Amino acid sequence: MPSIDPITRDLWQVIAATDEVPVGLVEITTLLDVRLALTRDNDGNPVVWRRTDEEQGDEIDPETVLDRLPVITGYGYIWTSLGTPPKELFPIPEYAEADRKNMSCGSIGLAVSAPRAVENFLDMGHFPYVHTDILGAEPHTEVKEYDVEVSEERDEVLATRCKFIQPRAAKSATEAMEVEYVYRVPHPFCSVLYKSCPEDENRRDVIAIFLQPMTEERCRAHLLQSMIDSTSTITDLRRFQQTIFGQDKPILENQYPKRLPLDPRAETPIRADKSAIAYRRWLSQKGITYGVIPMAS
Amino acid sequence: MTITLYDFELSGNCYKLRLLMSILKLRYNIVPVDFYPDRQHKADWFLRLNPFGQLPVLKDDDLILSDSGAILAYLAKKYDESGQWFPNDPAVTAEVLRWHAVADDITSTASAARLALGFFYDFDIEKAQKGAHRIFRLMDEHLWFGEREGRDWLCSPDHPTTADIACFPYVMLSEEGGISRQDYPALRRWTDRVRRIPGFMVMSGIFPAGRAAEES
Amino acid sequence: MTLSLSDPTWYPIASSDDLPFRHVYQGQLLGRELAVWRADDGNVNVWENRCLHRGVRLSIGINEGGELKCQYHGWRYANRSAGCTYIPAHPADAPARRIQNRTYPVREAYGLIWSAANDEQAFRPFAGAEGHDWFALRPMPVNAAPEDVLAALAGLAPDDQPADLLPGLAVRFGGTWYFVQPVDAGRAVIRGLLREQPADAVATLRHYNETLSKLRDRLERAAARKPAPEPLQPTFEKLSADLATMPDIAIPRGNTITVVVRRKWTSADGVIGFELAARNGHLPTFQPGAHIDLHLPNGMTRQYSITNGPGELMSYIIGVKQESASKGGSKVLVETVREGDLLSISEPRNNFPLRRDAVRTVLIAGGIGITPLLSMARFLDKSALPYELHYFTRAGEQVAFRGDLEALHGKVILHTGLPRAEIGTTIASALGQWSMAQHVYVCGPGPMLETVRDTATAQGWPEESIHFEYFRNDKVIDNSSAFDVELARSAMTLHVPSGKTIMEVMRDAGLTVPSSCEQGACGTCLTTVIEGEVDHQDVYLNRSEKASNTCMMTCVSRAKSARLVLDI
Ligand SMILES: N[C@@H](CCC(=O)N[C@@H](CS)C(=O)NCC(=O)O)C(=O)O
Ligand code: FES
Ligand SMILES: [Fe+2]
């Protein structure tokens, strides 16, 4: 079994959407090559443990589970850790705003490492080719100059002033517009984006991707939307996000190698990839080795 | 006529109908059904439309239909003036239905593997993958000899039929189920041809083909 | 026998029939996945199945006829060289660095496509190959070890006709040859050839297909009882170090290449066409708008635009104007260079990059200025992008490359013999009012450039949408500044007074400084800048290169700072 680096071990890792875990029934999943079982007790609180012989759908009395892993809930999801996690999850303050539609959009399996999926989430250059006629369309393919920094105080990668011409930026969009994005990577396997909101020009829609590294080369993408949209239903909004994600999936699954190479000489970066370069460097400096091909020392 | 499709974007079976309706230039409404994660196809309101609890369902005015293969036949017979998508000739009808049945086998193998890997259904992945490879081998052989005999499509007419539409989506989505098409070159070429049918549209997970070489 | 990643043997990897036009075939040899595609010129490309940008399989990309387009970010790679010609995220830049995908050797013969893991061995036909009209069987993929497949094939031979084991995992008996393509440790493809065309092709194919299917089923049953062999573990080669860093602008100084004049012809009244062919293999990747420096027998250097379309790398075709007034340059070419002569050219360089992100592209050519625009039109053509090409000449006989223009699918409008006044109005209506994502490219005589520039500006075209290229520096050089230059490697500091160029001062100090045009147009005196701020006055470097402040032309450019440090 591959070794888990200490940074990864001590992080909170997402494993399921809270509402989708039935009370008193076993759900099974894999995290960092470890087989896990989870359920919720009568109060709805999640219980997570290392799976032994439980099967999917078994009935279980959560009281009988003694050897539990740490658990925290946040942004509609259950998070656990194989090590000693920090007190709190990274912040997404917008999630608490009362008028937002917050929703999970399904947990989807991907045959690629979690960091590859994060990098795809940060990437604007693929919009016209992969999300044709929705997030981009030829001939408008240019990725203009934008800013990237690694925020010291919050220990996260931040890309700002990212702009792209989009035919249909959101469910609520009706015409093409130049959309501005901000991207955050507050966790090695999670990213949050803020984009211009068609309904209210002073606010931003928030979309996040939380990746559950199942193995080094396979992950589960948990999607969160926190939208300002007074007309669409949750089903509509989910459908929009799943359409987008369903387009990324075949690209990600055709990427080789499946782990993210951190050696700068493995792939060819261009200016548009500034955020990806910063992300790779950040992972490298942190000492993450799970799901990546570390730089040869 | 008002056509309404009860639809899930990531479903290949629903896509079969979107594809044919796009080719036939039919206008229709979509009622999105949250198949995942909400399992709305098992909700009471949906079971009243289709007691089998399966997408897709199509409503044409008051008529309610289910099963993608059956609906393809219905749409073609009712709305395809050219008569080519579901030909009347008895022998060809039998051929088309034969491949509709293969399409269901592809759903129960290639699509099952995809549901297991992508949506965490509790299915036997290896068995599903093996089953899909068995079908793809036969299709590749059929299409390879077709190319030698001047037949570009699954059935004998010199144009595509609903058989091609019914089999296409889960062949194209097979890699999401861990089923490579590397060993099926004739099958891969056929997917290029399907993607070049006038009126073709994509779904998430399926990319368009490039243009055919221009006539010179 | 174990398979080796470095096995240099040529193996068949596909049938010729597997590669219809505009298709990308997914193959594999010795554990390495391959993207295999036939360009519209018939050439077969065998590339590593992985885009250099972000590692996406190229077999899911799009064969555009002369280029392969990656599905993820639309990067284009040229037929033959696998060099990257276009990066859509930065449409205004010419990919400066030599981004080139890994290619494998290829040969199409006997109905099969052959390749090898490396080019240590030249392709040699198998024994007895010559002189027959070969007939390829349906390939049969088998999930079993290649050596087991070979042994089983040998077992098919009838008792009275023992199998001949041939080099390269092949076996023959009677008129049937079987080649085993080692896909991976546990996977193979049987590729059979018959020595002659059978009477009933389809019946024969079915017969062999049945035999081989049974063999495959037996082999796979046996393989399933054994532990699966470990797949080969090919590694991806590292990129060159200069590709690993971001962007910076490195100007390929390039090597010179010797080419042979394959053809010289009169393309039109006053225009001579030259076809410059590689002596072996193909020429380097170029982008539309690119030119080469041609080193003439008399020591002069001249620039000529490449007229070729995408992926046409076997030779470059240029057009040379037969000028009576021309002093020595084109005159030497036109009068003394003959077919069969060798010439030396630079690698292609692009100061006139074509954006492929326009909703409308207007190409305006005057006289010999057609050359770069013909190349652009050809690229746009292959990608089915809309464009209008306006070509102005004084008379119909002066229309060069007429046949090539007729083969284009876009809008090509010839304007012959227009009176001066009408040229202006024609240009004005050709341009029309500007709207978003429209671009105009112009190449022609100076006055025409000015007309297009002024008219376009008057009709609302912003500066970034008007593209032109200078082969001559018509700017007035301001040589009033005075400053010091420090020559880092020569360890000397020189003072450049006003009225003298850096080049002159260096020559006065006894240094040899190569030059050609001495007007900041040809690039011969390109020098690396280590420190100081350059006052660029040349027309050779493009805007981003100038902004990088890392290089300069010492024949005309000067310093804005008091001191410049040069890498000389
Ligand atoms: N034979 C049916 C199969 C349809 C089918 O499998 N639908 C899937 C969605 S793509 C479904 O609803 N599955 C849920 C279930 O079978 O319970 C058809 O072709 O329509
Ligand atoms: S991965 Fe091929 S263009 Fe980006
Ligand atoms: Fe995407």
Side-chain angles (χ1 to χ4, degrees), chain A residues 38 54 61 66 71 74 82 93 107 130 186 234 266 278 284 290 292 295:
Chain A
L38 64 155
E54 300 85 352
D61 177 0
L66 301 177
V71 162
L82 300 181
S107 304
V130 180
I234 298 279
S284 205
Y290 195 89
V292 304
M295 236 182 311

Side-chain angles (χ1 to χ4, degrees), chain C residues 205-410:
Chain C
L205 289 168
R206 287 205 184 272
H207 163 75
Y208 278 93
N209 186 59
E210 216 172 279
T211 311
L212 293 179
S213 299
K214 286 193 182 129
L215 183 83
R216 174 195 67 198
D217 294 348
R218 251 193 294 132
L219 277 162
E220 292 190 345
R221 275 196 302 273
R225 287 192 296 268
K226 293 200 274 190
E230 220 15 65
L232 293 170
Q233 298 291 339
T235 48
F236 299 118
E237 268 174 26
K238 281 196 185 186
L239 299 163
S240 68
D242 65 320
L243 289 188
T245 47
M246 257 209 322
D248 319 302
I249 319 236
I251 301 170
R253 279 307 310 248
N255 312 313
T256 54
I257 307 158
T258 307
V259 289
V260 51
V261 178
R262 180 177 300 152
R263 200 156 69 94
K264 174 184 175 185
W265 73 102
T266 305
S267 171
D269 216 7
V271 181
I272 309 296
F274 285 85
E275 179 178 358
L276 310 175
R279 278 192 303 175
N280 42 42
H282 58 77
L283 292 165
T285 317
F286 68 94
Q287 301 133 16
H291 68 263
I292 47 166
D293 295 345
L294 207 128
H295 304 288
L296 296 164
N298 66 355
M300 293 181 91
T301 303
R302 283 289 174 270
Q303 281 78 42
Y304 296 98
S305 296
I306 299 172
T307 63
N308 299 36
E312 295 171 2
L313 297 185
M314 294 312 284
S315 58
Y316 297 145
I317 292 176
I318 60 169
V320 177
K321 188 174 176 190
Q322 204 170 9
E323 281 167 305
S324 40
S326 134
K327 41 169 175 73
S330 55
K331 198 164 168 201
V332 175
L333 256 181
V334 168
E335 287 174 9
T336 65
V337 171
R338 287 192 224 157
E339 291 186 359
D341 284 359
L342 296 181
L343 290 173
S344 160
I345 62 171
S346 68
E347 285 193 27
R349 207 189 121 67
N350 197 1
N351 282 348
F352 197 26
L354 172 70
R355 301 178 66 119
R356 301 192 210 177
D357 67 338
V359 294
R360 177 168 173 250
T361 303
V362 182
L363 310 171
I364 300 179
I368 193 64
I370 186 65
T371 52
L373 300 179
L374 175 58
S375 174
M376 290 182 179
R378 285 172 154 157
F379 274 78
L380 294 168
D381 229 48
K382 273 275 196 263
S383 300
L385 293 167
Y387 65 91
E388 298 135 47
L389 169 58
H390 295 267
Y391 181 12
F392 293 82
T393 55
R394 280 204 207 98
E397 308 79 66
Q398 292 180 357
V399 173
F401 302 104
R402 201 181 262 276
D404 302 301
L405 292 167
E406 279 164 6
L408 294 170
H409 298 85

Side-chain angles (χ1 to χ4, degrees), chain C residues 48 56 182 187 197 231 318 322 350 373 487 507 548 558:
Chain C
E48 181 171 76
V56 167
R187 293 167 58 208
Q197 303 287 322
I318 60 169
Q322 204 170 9
N350 197 1
L373 300 179
L487 307 179
R507 285 188 176 151
S548 78
R558 309 179 68 81

Side-chain angles (χ1 to χ4, degrees), chain A residues 111-112 116-117 119-120 123 125-126 129-130 247-261 266-268 273 280, chain B residues 175 188 207, chain C residues 24 26 33-36 47-62 68-75 77 101-102 236:
Chain A
V112 79
R116 282 271 194 204
E119 198 169 278
N120 169 68
D123 176 270
H126 73 285
Y129 299 98
V130 180
Q247 293 170 331
D248 286 319
K249 188 170 157 66
I251 290 287
L252 286 163
E253 297 187 334
N254 276 293
Q255 250 180 317
Y256 284 87
K258 290 193 177 293
R259 287 180 292 152
L260 183 72
E267 293 177 345
T268 318
D273 300 325
R280 291 185 187 195
Chain B
E175 284 171 341
R188 290 184 81 248
F207 291 110
Chain C
V24 190
Q26 184 182 8
E33 264 196 45
L34 307 170
V36 186
W47 296 355
E48 181 171 76
N49 193 11
R50 184 169 170 269
C51 176
L52 285 185
H53 178 217
R54 283 295 176 255
V56 167
R57 279 197 177 109
L58 289 172
S59 58
I60 66 167
I62 290 173
L68 189 67
K69 177 177 172 188
C70 177
Q71 196 66 257
Y72 198 2
H73 306 96
W75 286 24
Y77 294 95
N101 227 310
R102 173 140 185 218
F236 299 118

